[in-house]
Amino acid sequence: MFQYIVRRILIAIPVLFGVTVLNFFIINIAPGNPVDMLVNPSATPAQIAMEKQSLGLDQPVWVQYIHWLGELLHGNLGYSYATREPVTQILAAHIGPTVLLMGTALIIGYLIAIPLGILCARKQNSWVDYLVTGFSFFGISVPHFFLGLGVIYVFASKFNILPTGSMNTLGGNGGIIDTVSHLILPASVLAIGIAGNMVRYVRSSMLDVLGKDYLRTAKAKGLRQFMITNKHALRNALIPIITVIGIDIPMLIGGAIVTEQVFQWPGLGLLTINSITSRDYSTLMAINLLAAIAVLLSNLLTDILYAVADPRIRYE
Amino acid sequence: MNVSKSSATKHILKYLLSSFMALTLVLLTACGSGSSGSGGSGKDTITLGMVNPPASFNPINTSDIAGQFAERVMFDSFLDMTSPMKFQPKLANSITTTDDQTYTIHLDPKAKWTDGKPVTADDVVFTFNLIANPASTVAVGSNLSTLEGLDTSGKLAKGQTAIPDLKKIDEHTVSFKTKAPVDPNYIKEMIGTKIITLPQHVLKNIAPKDLANSKYMQAPNVTDGPYKFVTYNNNAYIQYKANDAYYLGKPKIPKFFIKIEQASNLVADLQTGAIQANASGGIGDIPYQDLSTAKGLKNVTTTIHKQIGFQTMQFNTKTLPNPKVRQAIAYAIDRPQIVSKLLKGQGEIIDGPYTSLSPYLDKSLTKYSYDPAKAKQLLKEAGWDFNKTLNFVVPIGNLVRQQSGDIIVQNLKAAGLKVKETTYDFPTIMQKGAAGDFDLLLIGFTFNLDPDVSALYGPGGTYNFMKYSDPAATKLLAEGKAEPNAAKRKVIYNQLQAIWEKDMPVLTLYSNNEIVSISKDLSYGGPTPYWPGTVANFQKWAFKK
């Protein structure tokens, strides 16, 4: 197992290298450059040329890339073209809020989806099943921004029970209660999408398992239904679901970008959008690298969990 | 892997849950520290809502209004322009001249940096020389370009480090000389209100080329304004605290925040009291569809202000060389509909780069009306090929402008023109514009109150994507810039407006008013009708008792 993990990590290195090359060139193919966003209306062409030179943007793209890679290997992600802050510092400030938001959304989503999915499978084709399936389609299809604006309108504007956005009350004491109250709306919006997706997997996986012979045997032995469902069936039903968790992570990153925009959640999603519109190459490259690492890691974690859940799976 | 079968799932779930809980707790404690005091209701905190995140806190390298606004909470300019051409003293008691060529800055002797050291003539000389240093990266270079010894970018020749006629007269007096006589109002605006003095004793050991990336420029720790910088949480908020030793009086509200948020959230935040006002200057615009909601709120006062910024449609004069065709298109555009429909009537139609806030607007100029019949007739006269498709590019980022693009497309089709509209993000527009890869292009500007608009109409101007160059206009632009007498300048700019009206290199579409809401809890403060006036007296902002 240990060898397997090491091997997987080693394979990840060329993959990451390829990702950075692709990203760097794609970002550079996009028209415009950071200086366009930095100049003021009365700047002279000479000033703009000078600015480009000072940022090294007058060099060919491949030279810029090699320079960037060289800096990266020294652990330096460079400076943001926009704010001139070290990129590591910017990322460090934004990673916590995003992990908090996505983690909370993931947990809430699964806490809703797993029991509901089991219920649907147990009561197949009943009104409960139809209702939950209807809810899951709603969760999958409603856009994050629409749902976000909707809940802001209801809970913040209309009834003023929850804040409209950001992570803390400005000028307030901060603290857990304050952060949680800011977290409820964005995390719920993300969770609804995750739950909607997950319910279908849990339901079909559970249906699959419930029809198996060994469960009929368990029933014949006189085991209570509760035990059958939650002990014998659930564990086997979880195996395909673990794969879905791995697929959920990249989806979640995409959803977080939109949700963070709507709720002004100070995480990586908001940073990504702003970096794209200002062509902040260095920040964008760092975010992409981070996202690629997150996806590769979540895939690896999925495979490991797989082995944990199913003793028949062995990695050599 | 040797885990007993029945409990594996439970283990996984338990592990996931407990690790998540631990993580949450760690993060919450990490995020929860940092700010103190009571929430917005405590009347010790003022929060302004802003839509655009500031690009920089470097006072000599900031070109965006959001950044300039954020800087002016902690840094003082020499003067403030509270309304068009009305100046009031700040760091300087006055800027004087007897010959329109030698100018003297008289600093307020009481002015102090937050570390207790006085703001002196040495700081001013240091700042000017730093801006003009060929090695420094700055955005305000052109503001100094009228000075003796500097080029059009406001830079010294390579190897030089001192502006020739910049002199320290005494501890609190500095004088400088321009190449030729200049309108004093130009100096008062471009230098008086836009050049921010930096502390020499803090920055003197940093090489000019390294200054932009220095720690100081990301988190200025020695400043001279009413509030001190505390922290900037990227794209979320900027936190300040009162500078109790401020030379113009201790600020009445201890904590100051600028909250960066979506425009669609502004009204909700005003309603809940999360913000006390929105920022003015086009960086905190409340959407027009929210105007009636904002006006209906009981806890805020909502007013409408005119702006100096405006939106344009540039013509590519290389692909549309015949002025008749450009005039025809100007007649074809239904600007009144754009203003009434998209701006809910909150804007003015302008012809030329001056809005009604500008003293240089020639009000006698006849405006282009909406006249599709005349448009068709002019196109016929010009021999326009109606099979040609116009390439129309529209930037995203400003919803009203995007929607105006759709109206323009309908108008052009109604006039019998073929048109293909494409939307791009702003950096792409800049590139397409510079490359001349368009026939029609939408773009907005906020210049200065000073009437010089060479950047848009002058040959080689940064924003002259039209590639417009008319010998008479070029000559007048140079004269207008060089003329020190305001009345004579007005004559020159009137002539220019007449030429541009005829040549039609760019159609100015509209200048949108801005919606400003201020909490009724404030007894003083909030955005003023002209944005630089908003940043004039932060120390006086106060809540009602």
Side-chain angles (χ1 to χ4, degrees):
Chain A
M1 189 70 181
F2 176 73
Q3 273 183 336
Y4 169 76
I5 294 172
V6 171
R7 205 169 58 228
R8 282 282 299 260
I9 289 173
L10 287 176
I11 292 170
I13 291 170
V15 172
L16 283 176
F17 173 76
V19 167
T20 61
V21 172
L22 266 178
N23 274 331
F24 201 90
F25 284 85
I26 288 173
I27 292 169
N28 270 281
I29 287 168
N33 64 64
V35 176
D36 291 337
M37 300 302 282
L38 298 176
V39 295
N40 65 355
S42 42
T44 59
Q47 252 174 305
I48 294 169
M50 211 159 58
E51 180 88 9
K52 278 189 179 151
Q53 205 184 336
S54 78
L55 294 173
L57 295 167
D58 53 344
Q59 304 283 345
V61 176
W62 62 271
V63 173
Q64 288 183 44
Y65 176 75
I66 289 174
H67 178 77
W68 180 83
L69 194 68
E71 290 291 315
L72 177 73
L73 296 176
H74 290 103
N76 180 7
L77 288 167
Y79 290 95
S80 154
Y81 286 113
T83 62
R84 301 287 186 125
E85 280 176 280
V87 172
T88 32
Q89 199 177 305
I90 300 176
L91 286 190
H94 286 73
I95 219 164
T98 290
V99 171
L100 176 68
L101 175 64
M102 297 205 310
T104 313
L106 210 55
I107 300 285
I108 297 176
Y110 290 176
L111 287 180
I112 296 171
I114 291 171
L116 280 185
I118 295 170
L119 189 70
C120 278
R122 292 268 303 108
K123 313 259 183 209
Q124 200 190 354
N125 298 337
S126 70
W127 65 269
V128 178
D129 185 17
Y130 293 138
L131 189 76
V132 173
T133 310
F135 153 81
S136 98
F137 278 122
F138 170 81
I140 297 164
S141 26
V142 70
H144 285 114
F145 75 90
F146 179 79
L147 195 60
L149 291 174
V151 295
I152 287 177
Y153 176 74
V154 174
F155 293 98
S157 304
K158 204 105 192 106
F159 298 111
N160 198 3
I161 41 181
L162 287 168
T164 53
S166 70
M167 201 166 107
N168 293 102
T169 304
L170 296 182
N173 293 321
I176 293 189
I177 306 281
D178 187 45
T179 306
V180 168
S181 73
H182 282 82
L183 183 62
I184 292 171
L185 289 183
S188 307
V189 166
L190 267 178
I192 284 173
I194 294 167
N197 196 23
M198 199 68 179
V199 160
R200 286 164 51 240
Y201 284 104
V202 177
R203 179 179 177 273
S204 62
S205 180
M206 206 64 191
L207 278 174
D208 211 31
V209 173
L210 285 175
K212 290 267 193 301
D213 287 348
Y214 64 89
L215 285 185
R216 199 176 319 133
T217 313
K219 205 168 180 160
K221 278 198 312 189
L223 276 181
R224 276 182 308 131
Q225 185 62 50
F226 183 82
M227 283 294 283
I228 293 175
T229 314
N230 293 324
K231 200 161 172 170
H232 294 264
L234 183 61
R235 180 159 178 204
N236 287 311
L238 269 182
I239 296 170
I241 290 169
I242 288 171
T243 323
V244 182
I245 299 179
I247 300 168
D248 260 348
I249 301 280
M251 260 183 46
L252 196 59
I253 294 175
I257 288 182
V258 176
T259 310
E260 286 187 9
Q261 273 278 10
V262 174
F263 288 95
Q264 300 300 300
W265 190 262
L268 289 171
L270 198 58
L271 187 69
T272 308
I273 296 284
N274 287 333
S275 305
I276 291 172
T277 50
S278 62
R279 297 286 189 277
D280 192 346
Y281 298 158
S282 45
T283 311
L284 211 45
M285 282 303 296
I287 295 170
N288 281 332
L289 188 63
L290 199 70
I293 292 172
V295 170
L296 288 173
L297 270 182
S298 64
N299 285 342
L300 177 60
L301 198 69
T302 306
D303 290 341
I304 295 169
L305 281 177
Y306 225 78
V308 173
D310 188 347
R312 288 170 305 179
I313 297 170
R314 281 276 174 272
Y315 297 117
E316 295 308 331
Chain B
M1 286 283 142
N2 201 357
V3 185
S4 83
K5 253 196 234 178
S6 60
S7 58
T9 316
K10 238 190 281 185
H11 270 292
I12 295 168
L13 278 176
K14 245 192 206 160
Y15 169 75
L16 273 176
L17 267 173
S18 57
S19 61
F20 169 73
M21 287 297 173
L23 185 71
T24 311
L25 279 174
V26 169
L27 282 171
L28 284 177
T29 40
C31 310
S33 58
S35 50
S36 57
S38 62
S41 57
K43 301 229 169 168
D44 65 348
T45 306
I46 182 117
T47 309
L48 286 181
M50 199 188 261
V51 176
N52 304 37
S56 158
F57 295 132
N58 176 344
I60 58 172
N61 193 26
T62 300
S63 43
D64 63 313
I65 293 182
Q68 289 170 23
F69 193 105
E71 281 157 14
R72 298 289 294 276
V73 182
M74 50 183 164
F75 284 103
D76 277 358
S77 50
F78 297 118
L79 306 171
D80 277 312
M81 201 196 300
T82 48
S83 61
M85 298 302 175
K86 292 274 178 299
F87 296 95
Q88 73 173 34
K90 197 165 212 177
L91 193 60
N93 287 330
S94 62
I95 297 181
T96 56
T97 178
T98 50
D99 58 358
D100 293 345
Q101 195 167 359
T102 302
Y103 284 86
T104 310
I105 303 174
H106 305 270
L107 294 174
D108 184 333
K110 298 195 304 297
K112 274 192 180 50
W113 297 106
T114 45
D115 61 1
K117 294 204 163 55
V119 181
T120 65
D122 292 324
D123 293 318
V124 178
V125 170
F126 167 79
T127 304
F128 276 45
N129 283 331
L130 185 62
I131 294 169
N133 191 309
S136 66
T137 309
V138 296
V140 290
S142 45
N143 295 41
L144 296 184
S145 60
T146 52
L147 268 60
E148 187 72 71
L150 304 186
D151 65 14
T152 50
S153 308
K155 288 287 182 186
L156 287 156
K158 270 235 172 349
Q160 293 184 359
T161 52
I163 300 171
D165 287 308
L166 178 68
K167 291 193 190 78
K168 169 185 173 180
I169 310 280
D170 63 35
E171 275 310 293
H172 302 289
T173 319
V174 179
S175 82
F176 60 87
K177 196 162 173 241
T178 58
K179 295 170 193 151
V182 185
D183 182 354
N185 277 338
Y186 173 88
I187 295 292
K188 283 181 184 171
E189 180 180 13
M190 302 305 277
I191 293 178
T193 73
K194 308 240 173 188
I195 301 286
I196 304 282
T197 306
L198 293 168
Q200 183 191 19
H201 62 281
V202 179
L203 304 175
K204 63 172 184 262
N205 296 327
I206 302 177
K209 69 173 173 46
D210 301 330
L211 200 70
N213 288 350
S214 67
K215 269 220 156 23
Y216 178 89
M217 292 307 185
Q218 275 120 50
N221 54 351
V222 176
T223 54
D224 57 359
Y227 284 87
K228 298 180 196 180
F229 181 77
V230 177
T231 179
Y232 173 43
N233 186 321
N234 271 55
N235 310 321
Y237 62 84
I238 313 166
Q239 184 182 354
Y240 307 89
K241 65 174 188 238
N243 170 9
D244 289 345
Y246 186 51
Y247 64 101
L248 295 174
K250 177 181 165 179
K252 299 216 169 19
I253 301 170
K255 286 187 265 177
F256 195 107
F257 282 89
I258 290 175
K259 182 180 177 186
I260 297 143
E261 55 186 320
Q262 298 275 323
S264 50
N265 290 12
L266 287 166
V267 170
D269 268 358
L270 283 160
Q271 187 177 3
T272 58
I275 60 172
Q276 280 72 48
N278 59 320
S280 60
I283 51 174
D285 284 355
I286 292 174
Y288 292 97
Q289 57 266 35
D290 291 352
L291 176 58
S292 54
T293 319
K295 279 193 160 156
L297 296 181
K298 290 189 177 56
N299 60 334
V300 301
T301 315
T302 299
T303 48
I304 308 282
H305 297 162
K306 284 197 179 330
Q307 298 196 82
I308 56 169
F310 55 94
Q311 295 294 334
T312 70
M313 180 168 78
Q314 295 200 359
F315 296 101
N316 185 337
T317 61
K318 293 280 174 277
T319 60
L320 303 168
N322 188 344
K324 248 193 186 152
V325 172
R326 304 197 294 258
Q327 289 167 8
I329 292 175
Y331 279 117
I333 308 291
D334 191 352
R335 293 184 292 171
Q337 192 198 14
I338 293 173
V339 170
S340 66
K341 246 202 167 133
L342 303 181
L343 303 177
K344 312 278 183 240
Q346 298 303 337
E348 56 174 329
I349 296 169
I350 52 166
D351 276 23
Y354 308 116
T355 74
S356 55
L357 271 186
S358 169
Y360 286 90
L361 171 68
D362 182 1
K363 293 194 177 76
S364 66
L365 212 61
T366 34
K367 286 203 178 103
Y368 277 77
S369 54
Y370 169 56
D371 192 344
K374 189 158 187 179
K376 280 183 182 155
Q377 183 207 326
L378 281 171
L379 285 168
K380 279 203 187 79
E381 284 172 23
W384 175 256
D385 171 13
F386 283 91
N387 285 319
K388 185 175 150 53
T389 303
L390 290 168
N391 173 11
F392 178 39
V393 298
V394 178
I396 53 169
N398 174 331
L399 192 62
V400 172
R401 181 173 55 205
Q402 261 172 279
Q403 292 166 325
S404 79
D406 302 340
I407 290 182
I408 289 167
V409 168
Q410 288 167 11
N411 293 158
L412 294 173
K413 284 185 173 156
L417 292 157
K418 284 194 173 140
V419 57
K420 181 171 151 284
E421 180 191 9
T422 333
T423 49
Y424 299 103
D425 69 349
F426 195 75
T428 309
I429 290 283
M430 289 291 293
Q431 199 224 21
K432 295 229 171 254
D437 185 7
F438 70 96
D439 294 316
L440 310 168
L441 175 146
L442 295 189
I443 186 167
F445 299 102
T446 298
F447 289 116
N448 306 299
L449 214 58
D450 186 86
D452 177 43
V453 282
S454 307
L456 176 58
Y457 291 89
T462 306
Y463 292 92
N464 185 350
F465 301 145
M466 307 91 78
K467 299 283 182 288
Y468 172 67
S469 158
D470 172 80
T474 306
K475 188 165 155 283
L476 284 168
L477 270 174
E479 282 171 16
K481 206 173 167 175
E483 175 57 57
N485 177 301
K488 285 185 183 157
R489 282 186 99 190
K490 184 144 175 56
V491 175
I492 294 169
Y493 285 102
N494 281 357
Q495 289 171 313
L496 274 169
Q497 286 168 73
I499 294 175
W500 295 333
E501 188 77 344
K502 198 170 81 304
D503 278 353
M504 192 42 72
V506 50
L507 172 67
T508 44
L509 296 165
Y510 59 86
S511 167
N512 56 295
N513 301 343
E514 63 177 350
I515 305 167
V516 172
S517 294
I518 304 173
S519 163
K520 288 181 181 167
D521 291 344
L522 289 178
S523 60
Y524 186 100
T528 63
Y530 177 62
W531 86 261
T534 308
V535 299
N537 298 310
F538 282 129
Q539 75 282 4
K540 292 186 184 169
W541 288 33
F543 282 105
K544 286 173 183 159
K545 289 284 172 277

